[in-house]
Amino acid sequence: MIKGVILDLDGTLIDSMGMWFDIDRRFLVEQGVTDPPSGISWKIKQMTIENAAEFMISSFGLDMTPKQIIRRIEELVREEYEHNIPLKKGAAELIAFLDEKGIPYGTATATYKGLAEAAMRRCGILDGMSFLLTDKEYPNGKGFPDIFLGAAELLGTAPSETLVIEDSIHCIETASGAGFITAAVYDKASDAEWEKIKSLADHSFMELGEVRSLFEDMENE
């Protein structure tokens, strides 16, 4: 019996992963780099933000300090969260379903709280959340089960009766290892890992709205 739900944000509730993989290219083009190398965003994603800024300066001759680069990229990201990033397909339907059934839910994300709140408020899904947990409350992130266990405590549910919905391998692994029921939802940013993600999760779906079938199955048992 699933009595509570913990939802990821990026790549699960909102369609933001493509933005994260494109934001560095957008910044470089803005700075006059007309044709950034293919794969540059993936390379930069392996670095800390400070190292990434230094890499851009040395590789492209940018006349900016690392702090200026970081500040500008943060501005571009904030603009996307506050104005542009849409819900993933089926997200609104799943939230409406959980509300209708009286199943409590909340979000656990690695995204800055202000950005997460801005996107969720604009998309109309913030008010129904029982909580919004981020790295601010749980600095170890989702590589450790603390954030999921804290979320379950807020829901008033045990891990074994709490559904964690995620799109990434390490989050599924962490939640599953802590005894949660896991559902993987497809995101094109993780396409290359999708088969492995499916093998690790208890359930897998191509669209978020399809998660409703788990609750419908329970009602039919």
Side-chain angles (χ1 to χ4, degrees), residues 41 52 57 61 81-82 116 140 154 178 198:
S41 289
I57 292 170
Y81 274 83
E82 290 182 346
N140 287 330
L154 291 172
K198 287 197 298 182

Side-chain angles (χ1 to χ4, degrees), residues 5-10 105-113 116 130-159 162-166 168 170-180:
V5 178
I6 303 170
L7 292 144
D8 174 48
L9 183 65
D10 293 280
Y105 58 91
T107 296
T109 178
T111 298
Y112 290 131
K113 196 157 198 167
S130 297
F131 54 81
L132 170 59
L133 299 180
T134 69
D135 286 1
K136 182 177 181 180
E137 293 88 6
Y138 292 92
N140 287 330
K142 292 183 178 179
F144 295 82
D146 309 37
I147 191 168
F148 296 116
L149 294 171
E153 185 174 351
L154 291 172
L155 290 171
T157 57
T162 309
L163 179 67
V164 172
I165 307 175
E166 286 276 357
S168 63
H170 78 281
C171 299
I172 292 289
E173 287 179 326
T174 301
S176 180
F180 289 86

Side-chain angles (χ1 to χ4, degrees), residues 9 88 92 127 159 219:
L9 183 65
K88 288 285 291 288
D127 290 345
E219 291 177 349

Side-chain angles (χ1 to χ4, degrees), residues 98-119:
L98 296 175
D99 287 336
E100 177 188 346
K101 298 297 182 181
I103 299 168
Y105 58 91
T107 296
T109 178
T111 298
Y112 290 131
K113 196 157 198 167
L115 297 180
E117 287 178 340

Side-chain angles (χ1 to χ4, degrees), residues 144-221:
F144 295 82
D146 309 37
I147 191 168
F148 296 116
L149 294 171
E153 185 174 351
L154 291 172
L155 290 171
T157 57
S160 61
E161 55 190 17
T162 309
L163 179 67
V164 172
I165 307 175
E166 286 276 357
D167 67 303
S168 63
I169 285 179
H170 78 281
C171 299
I172 292 289
E173 287 179 326
T174 301
S176 180
F180 289 86
I181 307 165
T182 55
V185 175
Y186 175 80
D187 186 79
K188 59 186 176 182
S190 301
D191 183 71
E193 300 175 320
W194 179 237
E195 291 303 317
K196 184 175 181 182
I197 292 172
K198 287 197 298 182
S199 71
L200 293 171
D202 297 309
H203 310 277
S204 59
F205 303 94
M206 293 302 294
E207 294 179 5
L208 190 56
E210 296 172 356
V211 175
R212 289 179 296 175
S213 65
L214 294 180
F215 300 93
E216 292 162 355
D217 291 343
M218 287 191 310
E219 291 177 349
N220 293 330
E221 289 179 356

Side-chain angles (χ1 to χ4, degrees), residues 23-25 27-28 31 33 40-41 44-45 47 49-64 69-70 73:
I23 201 72
D24 303 304
R25 289 179 59 84
F27 167 76
L28 289 170
Q31 301 307 314
V33 181
I40 188 67
S41 289
I44 288 173
K45 288 295 176 290
M47 307 176 187
I49 191 167
E50 291 81 8
N51 288 342
E54 295 282 3
F55 171 79
M56 291 186 202
I57 292 170
S58 62
S59 298
F60 302 103
L62 302 184
D63 186 20
M64 301 176 73
I69 291 175
I70 292 168
I73 291 176

